[in-house]
Amino acid sequence: MNVPTSRDGRVLPALPYYVMALVAVVELATPSGFGLMPLMSLGPAFAGLVGSKRRTARIGALAVLLCVMLAACEGELGRRRVYIASISIAGVTAAGLLAVALRQRRDAELASVRSIAEVAQRVLLRPVPRVAGELRVAVSYTSAVAQARIGGDLYEVVVAAGATRALIGDVQGKGLEAVETAALVLGAFREAAHDEPELAGLGRRLARAVDRELEGERFVSALLVEVPAGGRHVRFLNFGHPAPLIVRADGSTLFPEPPAYALPLGIGVEGGEQPAPYSVDFAPGDQLLLYTDGVSEARDGAGDFYPLADRVALLKDPDAEAAIERLRTDLVDHAKGPLHDDAAMLLLRHRQG
């Protein structure tokens, strides 16, 4: 469903009146008996597009009244064509009232579905803490399915013993199956993040849970992150996910790649190697941006990808949430319309910075 633009919001409510006025002017300007009066039914026909049943009925009554006034001006009262025009208007008005009733019921059902989806989204993707250990956290999620506001991207931040751990992932596919898979991964991470002392162990446990439950061709790219308390480095474990972005205090950028690429979660290859953890310096003043491919692969009208590294200046705002919102707004502006894929971003900053 396309959301009407502000221009549509002004034109559609006035369209029935414009049409009826045009028919009246043309009818008066043409020779008597030209037969344009039935076109007055276009007024209540267009009225059914927006507004209430009462408004549609009111415009239908106005259309009949205009026919009578036109007939009086032309000396046509009592003629058969006037009766035919009035009956046509009454029939179209009745059809318009039915259309309005169906549209209102559909809108109510859609509002209910969106409300349920929003509740499911809040349960699935709980609000992340603004402060996690020694980090400040901000998150942004833009679903490609605007009607449901729910998709297959996932994220979580957990403060475990001695470290802050984060997860960002992207489920292959869309719809309810993607949401179910996201719920599976998040549940496994939330439990294992508190139990596993090592990041590699957390990754193995997550992989076992996903391999055990997923069926068919579904898989999940995921990036696990660990920032030890009091440490000045960050550890990663990458399951086929886009490399994170580190923005240094001096404005320089780094996309730390894994030493060897691993398959996403759910693609259980017998004897396949698990990803190896790797570390990068992460000092006060640095920022770490985790994101899904809905960000890095967003294209503009010319087909150019979103230049994430060139937009790091948008993250200078001292307020982490304001900074990531500026980046999200710029991403949507780059796409010049709805995104073609869900886009999740998780921003981590040292509190001292």
Side-chain angles (χ1 to χ4, degrees):
M1 182 181 66
N2 294 326
V3 178
T5 63
S6 58
R7 183 179 179 183
D8 293 335
R10 294 192 301 267
V11 171
L12 285 179
L15 186 58
Y17 302 104
Y18 292 149
V19 170
M20 292 188 297
L22 178 62
V23 171
V25 170
V26 175
E27 174 69 18
L28 291 173
T30 54
S32 179
F34 197 72
L36 293 180
M37 283 187 187
L39 292 180
M40 201 66 73
S41 62
L42 291 174
F46 287 123
L49 297 176
V50 294
S52 64
K53 290 185 286 187
R54 179 178 298 179
R55 176 177 179 272
T56 301
R58 186 169 61 246
I59 291 177
L62 177 60
V64 172
L65 178 60
L66 287 175
C67 279
V68 173
M69 294 174 62
L70 288 173
C73 291
E74 297 176 346
E76 296 284 330
L77 281 177
R79 295 290 182 89
R80 185 174 62 180
R81 75 184 189 94
V82 179
Y83 291 120
I84 293 175
S86 299
I87 293 172
S88 298
I89 294 171
V92 173
T93 301
L97 291 173
L98 177 60
V100 171
L102 293 175
R103 174 172 53 80
Q104 290 178 338
R105 183 165 66 179
R106 182 201 63 193
D107 290 346
E109 292 174 351
L110 179 59
S112 177
V113 169
R114 293 184 65 173
S115 177
I116 294 172
E118 288 172 358
V119 172
Q121 184 82 325
R122 287 195 294 269
V123 172
L124 179 65
L125 296 178
R126 300 178 303 197
V128 298
R130 296 190 65 177
V131 175
E134 299 178 356
L135 303 177
R136 294 193 182 276
V137 183
V139 67
S140 169
Y141 188 98
T142 305
S143 174
V145 186
Q147 294 95 324
R149 300 181 185 176
I150 191 167
D153 285 6
L154 55 99
Y155 53 83
E156 183 59 289
V157 176
V158 172
V159 180
T164 298
R165 288 172 167 174
L167 163 71
I168 192 163
D170 186 359
V171 179
Q172 178 268 337
K174 298 185 183 298
L176 290 178
E177 287 189 352
V179 175
E180 292 172 355
T181 303
L184 166 68
V185 175
L186 286 170
F189 173 78
R190 287 164 179 162
E191 179 180 358
H194 292 281
D195 299 337
E196 294 292 337
E198 300 292 335
L199 192 62
L202 173 59
R204 286 192 297 269
R205 188 163 166 181
L206 200 60
R208 286 196 301 269
V210 174
D211 290 340
R212 184 172 59 246
E213 297 293 337
L214 288 192
E215 299 178 357
E217 299 180 354
R218 285 182 291 166
F219 59 86
V220 185
S221 70
L223 178 65
L224 300 178
V225 180
E226 182 179 74
V227 181
R232 290 297 179 263
H233 66 279
V234 55
R235 287 193 287 263
F236 300 104
L237 193 63
N238 196 321
F239 290 89
H241 198 78
L245 169 63
I246 291 182
V247 183
R248 299 298 186 194
D250 60 4
S252 61
T253 59
L254 172 67
F255 289 90
E257 300 280 352
Y261 283 93
L263 294 173
L265 296 167
I267 305 181
V269 178
E270 191 68 27
E273 293 186 3
Q274 293 294 314
Y278 60 104
S279 299
V280 177
D281 292 338
F282 188 54
D286 293 346
Q287 302 184 74
L288 172 61
L289 180 69
L290 314 178
Y291 56 92
T292 59
D293 58 10
V295 176
S296 56
E297 296 181 3
R299 297 174 182 262
D300 61 11
D304 296 327
F305 291 114
Y306 183 65
L308 182 59
D310 297 336
R311 297 295 200 268
V312 295
L314 298 173
L315 297 176
K316 289 182 177 180
D317 196 300
D319 187 331
E321 293 185 348
I324 203 167
E325 177 59 24
R326 291 181 62 190
L327 188 62
R328 189 200 71 83
T329 301
D330 186 71
L331 173 68
V332 174
D333 290 344
H334 174 83
K336 299 187 185 303
L339 300 178
H340 297 292
D341 195 7
D342 301 332
M345 294 184 288
L346 194 62
L347 181 63
L348 306 177
R349 289 177 170 178
H350 271 289
R351 294 170 64 184
Q352 298 95 319

